[in-house]
Amino acid sequence: MQDIIKGKAYVLGDAIDTDQIIPAEHLVYSLSDPEEKKFYGRFALSGVPTDQQGLPYGGKPFTEEEAFESEYAIIVGGSNFGCGSSREHAPFALQQAGCKAVVAESYARIFYRNAVDGGFVVPFESIERLVERVRTGDDLEIDTSVGKLTNHTTGEEYLLKPLGDVADILEAGNVFEYARRAGLMPT
Amino acid sequence: MTITEKILARHAGRERVAPGDNIWVDVDILMTHDVCGPPTIDIFKREFGEHAVPWDKEKLVIIPDHYIFTKNHHANRNVEILREFAAEHDLPYYYDPGTPNYKGVCHMALAEEGFNRPGSLLVGTDSHSCTSGAFGMFSTGVGNTDAALILGTGKMWVKVPETMKFVFEGTLPPYLMAKDLILQVIGDIGTDGGTYRALEFDGQAVFDLPVHERMTLTNMAIEAGGKNGIIPPDEKTFEYVRARTDAPFEAVYGDDDARFHTFKTYNVEEMEPLVAKPHSPDNKATVSEVVGTRLDRAYVGSCTGGKLEDFVAAARILKGQEVRVDTYIVPATTHIGNELHTTRVDGETLYDIFERAGCKLGQASCAACLGGPTDTFGRTHGTEVVISTTNRNFPGRMGSKNASVYLASPFTVAASAVAGVITDPREVLV
Ligand code: SF4
């Protein structure tokens, strides 16, 4: 995990489910083939209803049409981010698009676990609700060592919750390294 | 300890566990399907080696079910990857599409094939893997990475969940089904009300339900964010399991002094038919509140609403009627598909009842429950208003993000299909 994560904000509402993060029709692409996996970046968050794309404005797709990567590296969401299916394609799609971290009020369990275990994006929990405080396009910086989010556009700072139990997995890089350290897998 | 805590403790080789403990558990069954199987295999090979061997062939179950009847080249390729993996390792439990061995929707197939055993621990690469908890076992959904780790080691880390207990008392009125009960719970606690927790169901009304109907309760535990859903096993459970497997199992029950995060009691005799309105499973309303809502489509299918019991319920209403809107019938499994031809309501087979009513009958698979490739049976493409027995209605779930989906019991869906507008099943059930 990087100490400092910087990037533009992409703001979403509550209960962004995995069908919005990566619609089911796109789950057919390989996650390992270098050419095919790019499509996960293209279709990341394409299921979000148009008026909810990039708050408070709406109508701002996460990844521009025909592009494979997004200009936004940090997603700011409300409660229950990533609810719905267990598809690991969801955090994978965000990573493919170039997203580094999500800052949400709360997460659905499987999304959170997948994000951590696969080492795709770092899922931070905000202490206060940020959806109305941050605008899509704002310049953000996360200091992961102290758990702080700075919005350089507005000058505001927000504390993030400690990563808790999963910090060890994030530190290890993914669940395999973690399992190796626990002696469950040969090194 | 609760039943969930006890099962987890046993699988961690510990005397006791408490909510919040992080433990490694031994997995009894790992299930995967065509959407998450191929990437799981990729990660498995990356981490354990190109020719690595699964930790235990007898414990690996691969059930392709999501994108089966499609011309989509990538989807077909994914099934091919599973087929090759099964052949390479000579896997005993791979259910190949296009052969008589093909089953259909994984959660129902797991039950039919005897993989759900009281006291055991099952993990699937599908969020509705919590369905198996209806058999008094711990079951949960994971992603590809966790599944790949299990495939190599048989182990998974779990944070022991707190338990929310829901007790349904009374005798279920003839117009209610398990779907109404679970929509009530989800509506009451919200789609994140059970996050990180076990949802345990208990009470006379639950034990009166046939085993398959109990699965509708545990299936939708994930719709409240739950880690697992669970129902203590009883004689009906044992009978069902023994008829399908010789594998030994040991039933587990919670202790009298078990602690619960929540304990809530419902009297089912006071409950009403419910729907979840667009676009969330917790957007609860009584059917009477939305009666008359215009519909374009009705759908009876999926792991939670495509069981034989669901079709019998729908047939009771559709018999001798004609549907006013496009009505799709999709059996969860091939076995249930066959039962449509052999099960009768008042002398007529379910299949004939549906056909005469003007329904469109599809083949066993997940079909439009999760949208799928554009040529998927029953998939929405525009602004359709759908009433469905499935379990999720987030935007785009059945295909088009401009469609609106109401979730309801098969009684409510069938009554609404006949009227063309949302209809209270009490008006038509005799
Ligand atoms: S029927 Fe629907 S909910 Fe059930 S496994 Fe298939 S896609 Fe998932």
Side-chain angles (χ1 to χ4, degrees):
Chain A
M1 188 171 47
Q2 295 165 266
D3 282 346
I4 300 287
I5 300 173
K6 283 184 180 180
K8 280 195 194 175
Y10 190 76
V11 183
L12 294 163
D14 293 315
I16 299 300
D17 80 291
T18 54
D19 278 287
Q20 295 181 66
I21 298 173
I22 183 75
E25 67 191 279
H26 305 307
L27 301 179
V28 296
Y29 298 114
S30 163
L31 285 81
S32 54
D33 181 274
E35 283 310 307
E36 268 183 53
K37 70 179 183 182
K38 289 201 269 181
F39 285 94
Y40 286 102
R42 170 169 295 177
F43 295 118
L45 290 169
S46 64
V48 176
T50 311
D51 60 336
Q52 300 293 310
Q53 292 178 332
L55 298 175
Y57 315 103
K60 283 186 181 295
F62 182 61
T63 305
E64 291 293 336
E65 217 173 313
E66 303 298 313
F68 288 108
E69 281 186 34
S70 168
E71 57 179 300
Y72 307 102
I74 299 176
I75 292 169
V76 175
S79 62
N80 209 17
F81 191 92
C83 58
S85 86
S86 65
R87 64 187 72 150
E88 192 165 303
H89 311 63
F92 181 83
L94 299 181
Q95 183 196 39
Q96 282 302 306
C99 174
K100 301 269 183 293
V102 181
V103 180
E105 256 180 291
S106 63
Y107 292 88
R109 190 188 68 80
I110 308 180
F111 176 90
Y112 186 82
R113 185 181 174 109
N114 287 343
V116 169
D117 281 2
F120 300 115
V121 289
V122 187
F124 289 101
E125 284 179 292
S126 57
I127 291 173
E128 55 188 310
R129 181 177 171 84
L130 300 180
V131 174
E132 286 81 19
R133 313 288 294 268
V134 179
R135 291 165 170 252
T136 294
D138 284 1
D139 269 316
L140 303 186
E141 179 173 330
I142 298 170
D143 184 336
T144 64
S145 56
V146 295
K148 189 180 72 181
L149 172 77
T150 306
N151 185 340
H152 289 300
T153 306
T154 62
E156 292 189 39
E157 289 186 352
Y158 309 99
L159 288 181
L160 304 171
K161 288 190 189 164
L163 288 164
D165 291 335
V166 300
D168 291 343
I169 303 175
L170 287 163
E171 212 36 68
N174 63 34
V175 75
F176 298 105
E177 290 311 317
Y178 179 67
R180 284 189 183 99
R181 290 179 191 184
L184 295 172
M185 268 174 80
T187 43
Chain B
M1 287 187 286
T2 64
I3 176 172
T4 296
E5 289 156 13
K6 271 183 147 173
I7 295 172
L8 289 175
R10 285 191 183 192
H11 286 80
R14 297 196 187 193
E15 278 291 305
R16 298 192 67 82
V17 296
D21 288 354
N22 255 317
I23 54 173
W24 287 95
V25 291
D26 291 320
V27 173
D28 293 320
I29 297 284
L30 172 68
M31 187 284 300
T32 190
H33 52 51
D34 54 306
V35 170
C36 296
T40 297
I41 292 168
D42 272 348
I43 299 171
F44 171 66
K45 292 190 170 183
R46 184 189 78 204
E47 295 292 331
F48 293 89
E50 189 56 32
H51 299 291
V53 177
W55 98 106
D56 190 337
K57 288 198 300 194
E58 292 295 321
K59 296 180 175 177
L60 176 60
V61 183
I62 302 183
I63 310 179
D65 58 354
H66 277 57
Y67 304 155
I68 304 303
F69 304 104
T70 171
K71 293 202 170 62
N72 185 292
H73 149 74
H74 289 109
N76 294 334
R77 184 264 328 259
N78 286 346
V79 174
E80 191 55 43
I81 292 173
L82 298 180
R83 192 172 284 140
E84 279 170 15
F85 188 74
E88 180 188 347
H89 297 289
D90 195 19
L91 298 180
Y93 305 120
Y94 168 64
Y95 299 95
D96 202 16
T99 74
N101 214 6
Y102 172 66
K103 293 290 170 224
V105 180
C106 55
H107 310 299
M108 185 48 66
L110 283 170
E112 289 175 352
E113 295 300 302
F115 293 110
N116 291 346
R117 300 160 196 161
S120 66
L121 192 151
L122 179 148
V123 178
T125 59
D126 189 284
S127 62
H128 291 104
S129 299
C130 50
T131 310
S132 298
F135 291 79
M137 56 195 280
F138 179 88
S139 65
T140 194
V142 297
N144 315 328
T145 296
D146 281 310
L149 180 63
I150 297 168
L151 201 48
T153 65
K155 298 206 183 281
M156 167 173 99
W157 69 268
V158 187
K159 186 164 169 170
V160 178
E162 294 181 291
T163 295
M164 301 175 84
K165 186 157 175 163
F166 301 93
V167 181
F168 291 95
E169 284 174 350
T171 305
L172 199 67
Y175 45 84
L176 292 185
M177 297 187 70
K179 182 52 82 43
D180 297 296
L181 307 188
I182 192 64
L183 287 177
Q184 177 81 42
V185 171
I186 297 163
D188 288 350
I189 67 174
T191 53
D192 58 359
T195 302
Y196 291 107
R197 307 205 181 105
L199 272 57
E200 183 176 330
F201 305 101
D202 205 328
Q204 195 51 48
V206 172
F207 296 111
D208 285 346
L209 293 172
V211 171
H212 285 165
E213 274 285 274
R214 299 178 191 181
M215 292 167 70
T216 293
L217 298 178
T218 49
N219 175 282
M220 291 185 68
I222 182 66
E223 262 53 73
K227 177 172 286 186
N228 65 308
I230 196 160
I231 298 173
D234 65 357
E235 250 334 293
K236 275 190 207 169
T237 322
F238 303 144
E239 214 175 285
Y240 186 101
V241 176
R242 285 198 200 103
R244 289 163 178 81
T245 179
D246 296 330
F249 59 83
E250 201 180 325
V252 173
Y253 297 94
D255 299 323
D256 291 340
D257 59 355
R259 297 231 198 125
F260 299 99
H261 171 277
T262 308
F263 193 101
K264 201 170 159 75
T265 305
Y266 293 97
N267 179 352
V268 294
E269 291 165 28
E270 291 164 3
M271 292 172 68
E272 285 201 53
L274 296 177
V275 297
K277 295 184 288 183
H279 297 280
S280 183
D282 64 359
N283 199 6
K284 175 183 66 151
T286 59
V287 172
S288 49
E289 286 171 313
V290 291
V291 150
T293 304
R294 194 190 56 77
L295 296 168
D296 300 304
R297 178 174 298 192
Y299 189 96
V300 185
S302 83
C303 49
T304 191
K307 313 178 288 341
L308 182 65
E309 290 75 4
D310 299 311
F311 296 115
V312 169
R316 283 180 48 204
I317 289 177
L318 291 175
K319 188 172 162 59
Q321 302 287 331
E322 226 171 282
V323 294
R324 287 245 174 95
V325 293
D326 287 345
T327 300
Y328 294 81
I329 302 282
V330 188
T333 60
T334 50
H335 179 72
I336 297 167
N338 292 337
E339 286 177 318
L340 296 184
H341 293 279
T342 54
T343 308
R344 290 165 195 274
V345 167
D346 296 338
E348 202 178 353
T349 69
L350 301 184
Y351 190 92
D352 286 342
I353 292 172
F354 295 142
E355 208 173 45
R356 287 185 189 134
C359 302
K360 302 173 196 292
L361 285 114
Q363 291 170 280
S365 74
C366 293
C369 171
L370 87 163
T374 48
D375 60 351
T376 301
F377 183 75
R379 186 186 191 276
T380 59
H381 292 280
T383 56
E384 298 91 339
V385 181
V386 187
I387 191 160
S388 173
T389 65
T390 52
N391 44 30
R392 258 181 209 148
N393 61 345
F394 295 119
R397 173 67 180 178
M398 294 188 80
S400 164
K401 65 179 173 183
N402 300 316
S404 303
V405 179
Y406 289 80
L407 306 177
S409 79
F411 279 147
T412 305
V413 170
S416 304
V418 171
V421 295
I422 295 182
T423 300
D424 195 319
R426 285 171 289 192
E427 286 173 23
V428 293
L429 271 175
V430 279

